[in-house]
Amino acid sequence: MLKKWSTVLGLLALAGCSRTGKDVADDVGKAMGAANLKSIQYTGSGYIYAIGQSYQPTVRYSKFNLKSYSRLIDYEKGASREEDVRTQFEDPPRGGGVQPVIGERRAVAFVSGDAAWNQGASGAANPAPALLEERQLQIALTPPGWAKAAAAAADPTMESKTEDGKQMTVVTFTLKGKYKVSGFVDSQNMLAKVDTWVPNPVLGDMLVESTFSDYKDFNGIKFPTKIVQTQGGYPILELNVSDVQPNAAATIDVPDVAKSSAPPVKVDSQKLGDGAWFLAGGTHNSVLVEFKDYVAVVEGPLDEARSLAVIAEVKKMVPNKPIKYLVNTHHHFDHSGGIRTYVAEGATIITQEMNKPFYEKTFAMPRTISPDSLSKNPKEATFITVKDKYELTDGSRSLQLYAVEGNGHNAGLIVAYLPKEKVLIEPDLFNPPPPDAPPPAAVSPYTASLGDSIQRLKLDVRTIAPLHGRVVPIADLRKALKKTT
């Protein structure tokens, strides 16, 4: 009898050892009731955050009330429609993310196959090719999406780990040949967490962590009623799910404008004065300033592709002079994502003093998923820090940098001023609207802080060169500082 039981136990142990990552993924799908799930729509509310838009480098991203949220996913076609309606959370506003929100702001994001696009306020589709892979990946970060992707993966690995005092089975696989995706499965075969890493221009290989809890049955599908996702260590979504519709009707057609490949990065030069140019051609601008023996560039936004295009334009406009300085106005990711490219070029970064420790930390982060020029050919970054004021001059040309006091957009924000040309270069505090737009119903506190700083510093400004939007006369700023009611 003893021998018989030993044989049975041995067979059971062998069966346990033969369980594979695919088996675990199948068990998760079955436990959720998602084995035959083709699509899903879930709705809820909570909080949403703007990644990289914090008031200071080492605090959470700017936060908004998430009045409503809806996401429709077609798992068979790899398509998703995500809509959120957000309202202002902090009063007074702090940080970026297009604050303050007056009333409500709606955002709609799509992906389908190899196309990604957003829906503008007018209903028109705006291609978003740079966000394609992230949105494709996000489908696999939902519980049903993870189960389907893990089951379809070539060779998922499996290990046991303790997470928050609980024993978890961790199944890991690779998507698109470069994204490592790890799912943490509890003893009830429910997906508790998914970790993955994506490339970020500022943070390098950035951890994206999605946690799921409080599963509830919705029409035969078990789905979490609490979803939290963090990116780079801070939350970007805290969602309380209120309703789930399995196999919801999912028709997500790709508009013609989103079917074409991503256009090349465009840089348009506009002369601001002798030896000064406004470099536009996209959502973010830079400014080139020529000195006797070198040039300086104000702002290295977005990513390496944008910086490389701007650097090429700089060398065309002013050949045979090195880019000695890159002025960084603040740490927000859309304004600092390209500064590493200038370090690789040999430039010194000029930034507000609170940003230096942050950049030194982020520059040291690994960049294995999408290596940039600096990680391929490392060199030490050099910084000049600004507290209240700093000036670049060669005796005839002057570029003055000033901290903007009382500004809620960013604690370490600086503006640049060309006294000879009477041009103010500013980020985010005033984004000029189209020429025929009426004055705002309410004055933005960020714009008001810019007006106050111009008066405090006694700057003789004739022209605003914004780092978003078009060059305008100072009269346009004065117009924006007047209420209509």
Side-chain angles (χ1 to χ4, degrees):
M1 180 64 71
L2 180 61
K3 183 177 180 181
K4 180 178 178 181
W5 277 112
S6 297
T7 302
V8 171
L9 291 173
L11 289 172
L12 289 173
L14 182 63
C17 291
S18 65
R19 192 178 186 224
T20 67
K22 286 182 179 289
D23 293 331
V24 175
D26 286 338
D27 290 342
V28 171
K30 291 174 184 176
M32 288 190 298
N36 298 314
L37 186 71
K38 296 181 179 180
S39 65
I40 198 167
Q41 182 169 15
Y42 57 96
T43 57
S45 61
Y47 300 101
I48 195 166
Y49 302 76
I51 182 172
Q53 297 291 309
S54 56
Y55 180 59
Q56 294 175 309
T58 56
V59 301
R60 64 155 172 79
Y61 310 135
S62 53
K63 183 177 183 178
F64 301 85
N65 295 312
L66 187 55
K67 182 179 179 180
S68 64
Y69 177 93
S70 175
R71 189 172 185 193
L72 173 65
I73 299 176
D74 184 335
Y75 289 112
E76 291 192 318
K77 296 181 179 179
S80 169
R81 179 188 188 278
E82 186 178 28
E83 178 178 347
D84 73 75
V85 177
R86 64 189 69 182
T87 63
Q88 187 66 30
F89 174 78
E90 291 180 305
D91 185 18
R94 283 288 181 269
V98 196
Q99 294 191 70
V101 178
I102 307 300
E104 300 176 353
R105 187 167 78 240
R106 176 174 172 264
V108 189
F110 293 87
V111 64
S112 182
D114 292 324
W117 69 99
N118 299 323
Q119 182 176 301
S122 65
N126 301 315
L131 300 173
L132 173 62
E133 286 199 356
E134 180 188 350
R135 291 183 183 175
Q136 291 173 329
L137 183 61
Q138 286 286 352
I139 292 176
L141 301 186
T142 61
W146 180 88
K148 292 175 182 294
D155 191 19
T157 63
M158 184 177 67
E159 61 181 319
S160 181
K161 284 187 178 180
T162 301
E163 184 79 8
D164 295 330
K166 298 178 181 178
Q167 197 69 22
M168 298 279 183
T169 301
V170 182
V171 176
T172 300
F173 58 93
T174 302
L175 279 178
K176 292 184 171 291
K178 58 182 176 181
Y179 298 115
K180 177 184 173 184
V181 181
S182 297
F184 292 68
V185 180
D186 67 18
S187 59
Q188 304 301 311
N189 287 322
M190 290 288 110
L191 188 65
K193 186 177 76 165
V194 177
D195 284 352
T196 190
W197 289 261
V198 301
N200 180 276
V202 176
L203 301 180
D205 297 349
M206 181 180 72
L207 173 64
V208 177
E209 185 175 77
S210 304
T211 58
F212 312 104
S213 59
D214 296 352
Y215 277 79
K216 181 181 174 183
D217 190 286
F218 293 90
N219 300 312
I221 295 292
K222 289 183 180 178
F223 198 83
T225 58
K226 292 188 182 299
I227 299 175
V228 176
Q229 185 172 106
T230 66
Q231 294 189 6
Y234 296 106
I236 64 161
L237 177 67
E238 296 177 359
L239 181 66
N240 297 313
V241 176
S242 56
D243 186 55
V244 178
Q245 310 250 339
N247 292 315
T251 302
I252 302 174
D253 297 323
V254 180
D256 291 338
V257 71
K259 293 177 180 178
S260 57
S261 58
V265 180
K266 183 181 180 183
V267 181
D268 296 326
S269 300
Q270 176 184 343
K271 199 166 187 179
L272 295 172
D274 291 338
W277 294 267
F278 185 69
L279 307 179
T283 57
H284 293 64
N285 310 317
S286 300
V287 173
L288 165 63
V289 182
E290 181 182 6
F291 292 84
K292 189 180 298 181
D293 301 317
Y294 61 88
V295 300
V297 176
V298 180
E299 211 72 321
L302 294 176
D303 52 27
E304 180 154 278
R306 180 69 193 173
S307 287
L308 288 173
V310 169
I311 289 171
E313 183 71 8
V314 167
K315 292 181 177 180
K316 185 176 82 173
M317 302 300 294
V318 187
N320 304 319
K321 287 187 181 181
I323 302 174
K324 190 173 183 180
Y325 300 105
L326 183 281
V327 177
N328 165 245
T329 63
H330 61 305
H331 87 277
H332 284 174
F333 288 8
D334 60 321
H335 287 266
S336 62
I339 66 175
R340 286 173 53 90
T341 314
Y342 287 87
V343 174
E345 188 71 18
T348 293
I349 306 299
I350 304 177
T351 191
Q352 212 277 341
E353 60 183 6
M354 73 166 55
N355 297 327
K356 181 184 175 184
F358 175 71
Y359 291 144
E360 288 176 333
K361 179 181 178 181
T362 59
F363 275 31
M365 291 176 174
R367 295 167 189 270
T368 61
I369 304 171
S370 181
D372 61 11
S373 55
L374 187 60
S375 60
K376 293 174 184 176
N377 296 288
K379 62 176 64 176
E380 187 174 350
T382 57
F383 296 89
I384 293 174
T385 60
V386 180
K387 184 177 181 181
D388 300 313
K389 178 182 178 180
Y390 187 83
E391 182 179 22
L392 283 178
T393 183
D394 60 7
S396 59
R397 159 78 68 195
S398 173
L399 176 64
Q400 299 171 356
L401 307 177
Y402 296 96
V404 180
E405 295 180 0
N407 127 65
H409 184 74
N410 187 274
L413 187 143
I414 57 178
V415 297
Y417 178 61
L418 293 169
K420 183 179 178 181
E421 295 79 12
K422 303 185 187 302
V423 173
L424 183 71
I425 305 160
E426 58 82 23
D428 293 326
L429 301 181
F430 173 53
N431 300 331
D436 56 351
V443 176
S444 164
Y446 298 169
T447 304
S449 72
L450 178 63
D452 292 342
S453 289
I454 292 173
Q455 289 186 342
R456 175 179 59 85
L457 297 168
K458 296 182 172 58
L459 302 180
D460 183 10
V461 179
R462 294 184 183 177
T463 303
I464 300 287
L467 298 179
H468 294 286
R470 59 196 176 90
V471 176
V472 296
I474 188 64
D476 283 38
L477 174 61
R478 296 188 181 117
K479 181 181 178 181
L481 291 171
K482 294 180 180 178
K483 295 181 181 180
T484 59
T485 55

